[in-house]
Amino acid sequence: SQTIHQWPATLVQPVGSPLSLECTVEGTSNPNLYWYRQAAGRGLQLLFYSVGIGQISSEVPQNLSASRPQDRQFILSSKKLLLSDSGFYLCAWSEGRVYEQFFGPGTRLTVL
Amino acid sequence: ILNVEQSPQSLHVQEGDSTNFTCSFPSSNFYALHWYRWETAKSPEALFVMTLNGDEKKKGRISATLNTKEGYSYLYIKGSQPEDSATYLCAFNRDYQLIWGAGTKLIIKP
């Protein structure tokens, strides 16, 4: 069966510091991968998605970036965090044409 | 409709009562409609995927219907329980993505 891992679970970072969140999927090959964010009191916002190694589509222009160095690894990064980057970050994967998405446990990021 | 609209935005229901809420989506180029349940501080959990007009899906006390011609889906909860409190999201397929609604926040009052 497939599983998805995210780490860390929680993170507190000062403004201006870098960020690296990692997501890995097990039990499947060539999944579609997604990064979402939920800001306080808001809904689910798609940040990036990837349909293959090295292929990244950005949905929202901002100071975040994503990379997919391996088939089942998806990384969300920032060189300098802003206060507005605080939120709950979710990684998800899908496969097949229906694209039902399965979510990781999430990372709670607080930027101070 | 160009995106997904869900109504109401929030809903307070007495424990034991039944309830329902709506998801509206573009009816053109339809492929699939998804319902998810999202509890606070947790990950969204898939409830249903529906692809055919007239589809009805059921999981325990929760069921959903789909009308692709007019572009809407209903989610029904029968005999609401406190553990049903969550935000219910719907989404439709576009390319490799899911386009998400803002959700209906359901609060069950004991």
Side-chain angles (χ1 to χ4, degrees):
Chain A
S1 65
Q2 300 89 354
T3 55
I4 178 168
H5 304 278
Q6 271 186 258
W7 64 91
T10 59
L11 193 58
V12 180
Q13 292 283 95
V15 169
S17 63
L19 173 74
S20 181
L21 303 181
E22 190 162 343
C23 170
T24 59
V25 182
E26 296 176 359
T28 185
S29 296
N30 196 32
N32 302 313
L33 296 171
Y34 309 84
W35 277 112
Y36 289 92
R37 175 173 64 197
Q38 183 199 23
R42 306 288 295 275
L44 207 55
Q45 179 188 36
L46 179 65
L47 301 175
F48 301 95
Y49 71 94
S50 171
V51 300
I53 295 175
Q55 300 178 60
I56 308 293
S57 296
S58 172
E59 290 297 302
V60 182
Q62 57 206 332
N63 68 319
L64 298 173
S65 62
S67 62
R68 184 169 178 174
Q70 300 180 45
D71 181 43
R72 290 168 289 175
Q73 184 185 30
F74 205 22
I75 297 171
L76 183 70
S77 304
S78 175
K79 292 182 179 178
K80 286 186 178 181
L81 284 168
L82 306 173
L83 286 174
S84 56
D85 291 324
S86 292
F88 189 47
Y89 288 80
L90 287 160
C91 180
W93 71 273
S94 74
E95 63 183 2
R97 294 192 62 192
V98 179
Y99 300 119
E100 181 177 5
Q101 293 183 11
F102 302 93
F103 288 83
T107 294
R108 174 74 57 190
L109 172 66
T110 304
V111 182
L112 301 174
Chain B
I1 295 176
L2 298 178
N3 289 304
V4 180
E5 296 175 5
Q6 290 188 248
S7 63
Q9 188 174 17
S10 64
L11 192 55
H12 289 72
V13 174
Q14 196 68 41
E15 182 178 352
D17 288 352
S18 297
T19 188
N20 66 84
F21 27 92
T22 308
C23 172
S24 300
F25 54 88
S27 54
S28 60
N29 300 315
F30 175 84
Y31 194 80
L33 192 282
H34 305 248
W35 279 102
Y36 282 77
R37 181 173 178 277
W38 193 10
E39 290 184 67
T40 303
K42 294 187 178 179
S43 304
E45 173 194 353
L47 288 173
F48 305 114
V49 180
M50 295 184 287
T51 57
L52 298 176
N53 184 44
D55 253 357
E56 288 189 35
K57 294 275 179 93
K58 187 175 181 181
K59 186 183 287 188
R61 294 178 291 99
I62 304 177
S63 60
T65 60
L66 179 67
N67 182 322
T68 61
K69 295 186 187 305
E70 296 180 44
Y72 65 84
S73 174
Y74 293 129
L75 189 78
Y76 301 89
I77 301 179
K78 186 177 178 181
S80 303
Q81 299 298 308
E83 59 265 29
D84 295 328
S85 295
T87 296
Y88 291 83
L89 300 170
C90 73
F92 75 93
N93 290 67
R94 187 180 72 190
D95 300 326
Y96 296 100
Q97 304 175 42
L98 293 181
I99 306 301
W100 298 86
T104 292
K105 185 171 183 178
L106 177 65
I107 298 166
I108 306 301
K109 299 178 289 184

